[in-house]
Structures are given as structure tokens and as C-alpha cells.
């Protein structure tokens, strides 16, 4: 059974870059046609989809964050990463990584990490 | 502000049947399947329903999903204390070219 675990700095100072990593166990990130995804939840709010990186390494981002985002795969360590530049207080949230499954026309997340709280504050 | 609209709270007594609604638009629920997630704060969210009415392995058949037009519903029958959690609907949005979520519904078992 696949398991995901986020790791990150906890605190990031604006306007620095936030870097998060998601370690995957129980399955290779390069197999199965999965979409390795990031989702966040602002305090007291609902979920916001950030984007994904396909198992081939092709990324796809939420258009509202696209200019500040980059994602990558580290096949040797079976993990994937997110970089969000120029953070502001509005980026304070719990960040989740998840495995996305595409069954056109739907796309859903069948495994999630527990989430990591990121606070953007000076 | 979430693009899918859910009631902020719902409640029921053990054994009761409750439904949680999720309202969207033609570009999301009106054109694409709906997925539902269960979340206990501090834990990993769990896929409950995918492709509008499909249950992943391990999800009991007392949980079901449906859709009509631009609205979807999650039904939980035989309510149990373990069902107390936050529930989120989600769908692909063709206009935004991305996934949109509801604001979440907190289910309380009285």
C-alpha cells in the first residue's frame, strides 16, 4: 500500500522560496501513470489544488500559482518536490501531497500524506 | 471562496441517514464526475467516493454518491460515531483547467 509523507521547513520568511518534499513508499513514482500532486488548506478554509507532476516528469500547475511554482521528481529517492517562490502570509497553510489517478473525465486522489503546516512570517 | 458550495455543517444521530450537498456549475459538476473525501484533522484525507458513485475498496456500501445537473450529494446511512469528520467534494473544472474543491462540511454524530 502506497504511503506519502511530506517534509518541509515549518517556517518560511517572505519573500523567500518554500521548498517541500514528498517521500513515497510502497510504490515507485515512475510507474503506473500516476499524477503526483500537491494540495493545500489555508487555516479554517477548504482545500486548494496546487498542481501535479506526471510520472514522466511533466508538470501541470494551478493557473493562479503558476508564475511562482515549480515541481520536480527525484526518481533515485522516490520522492517529488514543490518550490513556491516569493511567498507571502497568504501562503500559510497545511500542505498535502497526494497520488492522483486519471480516469477521464475525472481525476481524483487515492492516497494522501498527513500534511505539513507551513507558516509564512517574518 | 470555494468554487463548489457545501453546507458548513451537518449532524445526525447514530443509525440515521444524512446527506451532504455540493453545488457547482456547468463547467465542473455539470460536465464532470464528482469525488468525495473524508478528513479527520491531523490525519491524511481519505478518498470516499470517486467518479460520482464509485466506492474504493474498503469503503462500506452504506456510503454512496450521486449527481444531478450541477449538484452532487453524499449519503451516509446507518450513521456511526466514526463517521464524524470533515467531508469535501471535488471535481475537474473545464474553465479553470484544474481541480476545484468544496469548502467542506463538518459532520457531527450527536
Amino acid at each position: 500500500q502506497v504511503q506519502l509523507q511530506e517534509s518541509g521547513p515549518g517556517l518560511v520568511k517572505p519573500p523567500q522560496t518554500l521548498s517541500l518534499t514528498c517521500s513515497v513508499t510502497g510504490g515507485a513514482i515512475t510507474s503506473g501513470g500516476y499524477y503526483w500532486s500537491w494540495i493545500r488548506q489555508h487555516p479554517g478554509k477548504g482545500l486548494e489544488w496546487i498542481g501535479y507532476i506526471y510520472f514522466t516528469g511533466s508538470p501541470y500547475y494551478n493557473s493562479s500559482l503558476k508564475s511562482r511554482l515549480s515541481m520536480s521528481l527525484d526518481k533515485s529517492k522516490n520522492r517529488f518536490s514543490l518550490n513556491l517562490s516569493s511567498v507571502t502570509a497568504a501562503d500559510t497553510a497545511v500542505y498535502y501531497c497526494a497520488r492522483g489517478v486519471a480516469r477521464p473525465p475525472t481525476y481524483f486522489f487515492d492516497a494522501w500524506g498527513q500534511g505539513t503546516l507551513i507558516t509564512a512570517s517574518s | 471562496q470555494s468554487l463548489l458550495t457545501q453546507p458548513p455543517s451537518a449532524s445526525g444521530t447514530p443509525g440515521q441517514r444524512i446527506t451532504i450537498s455540493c453545488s457547482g456549475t456547468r463547467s465542473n459538476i455539470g460536465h464532470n464526475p464528482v469525488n468525495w473525501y473524508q478528513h479527520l484533522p491531523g490525519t491524511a484525507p481519505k478518498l470516499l467516493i470517486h467518479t460520482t458513485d464509485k466506492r474504493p475498496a474498503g469503503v462500506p456500501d452504506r456510503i454512496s454518491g450521486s449527481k444531478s445537473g450541477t449538484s452532487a450529494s453524499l449519503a451516509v446511512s446507518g450513521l456511526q460515531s466514526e463517521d464524524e469528520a470533515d467531508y469535501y467534494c471535488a471535481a475537474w473544472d473545464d474553465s479553470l483547467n484544474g481541480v476545484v474543491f468544496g469548502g467542506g462540511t463538518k459532520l457531527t454524530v450527536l
Side-chain angles (χ1 to χ4, degrees), chain B residues 7-77:
Chain B
S9 64
S11 63
T13 55
Q16 202 173 14
R17 180 180 187 271
I18 64 95
T19 61
I20 296 172
S21 62
C22 175
S23 178
T25 66
R26 279 186 294 180
S27 65
N28 42 65
I29 294 178
H31 193 243
N32 296 307
V34 179
N35 308 303
W36 290 89
Y37 303 92
Q38 179 191 56
H39 185 213
L40 281 80
T43 68
K46 174 186 174 183
L47 176 66
L48 214 55
I49 294 285
H50 69 84
T51 322
T52 299
D53 58 7
K54 305 290 187 292
R55 281 184 301 275
V59 175
D61 61 5
R62 63 187 183 84
I63 293 173
S64 61
S66 63
K67 185 180 87 163
S68 178
T70 59
S71 293
S73 291
L74 176 75
V76 182
S77 58

Side-chain angles (χ1 to χ4, degrees), chain A residues 41 49 60 96 106-107 109 112-113, chain B residues 35 37 39 44-45 88 97 99:
Chain A
Q41 183 173 31
W49 175 73
Y60 189 80
Y96 297 93
T106 193
Y107 157 60
F109 310 107
W112 296 63
Chain B
N35 308 303
Y37 303 92
H39 185 213
Y88 294 89
N97 279 317
V99 176

Side-chain angles (χ1 to χ4, degrees), chain A residues 4-106:
Chain A
L4 297 90
Q5 179 67 57
E6 306 88 350
S7 57
L11 178 67
V12 59
K13 293 184 178 180
Q16 292 179 348
T17 294
L18 166 64
S19 295
L20 293 172
T21 296
C22 181
S23 298
V24 179
T25 56
I29 61 172
T30 53
S31 68
Y34 295 111
Y35 296 74
W36 301 101
S37 307
W38 292 95
I39 298 116
R40 68 181 182 180
Q41 183 173 31
H42 295 103
K45 303 292 185 183
L47 298 166
E48 178 185 25
W49 175 73
I50 297 172
Y52 66 70
I53 183 160
Y54 195 38
F55 79 109
T56 57
S58 299
Y60 189 80
Y61 305 141
N62 183 326
S63 58
S64 69
L65 297 168
K66 186 176 182 178
S67 63
R68 298 194 290 132
L69 264 178
S70 69
M71 295 184 188
S72 62
L73 295 177
D74 185 340
K75 301 173 186 178
S76 65
K77 295 184 178 179
N78 211 45
R79 66 188 190 188
F80 60 104
S81 298
L82 169 152
N83 284 332
L84 182 65
S85 64
S86 304
V87 299
T88 70
D91 295 309
T92 293
V94 175
Y95 286 75
Y96 297 93
C97 59
R99 186 175 75 172
V101 177
R103 304 243 179 107
T106 193

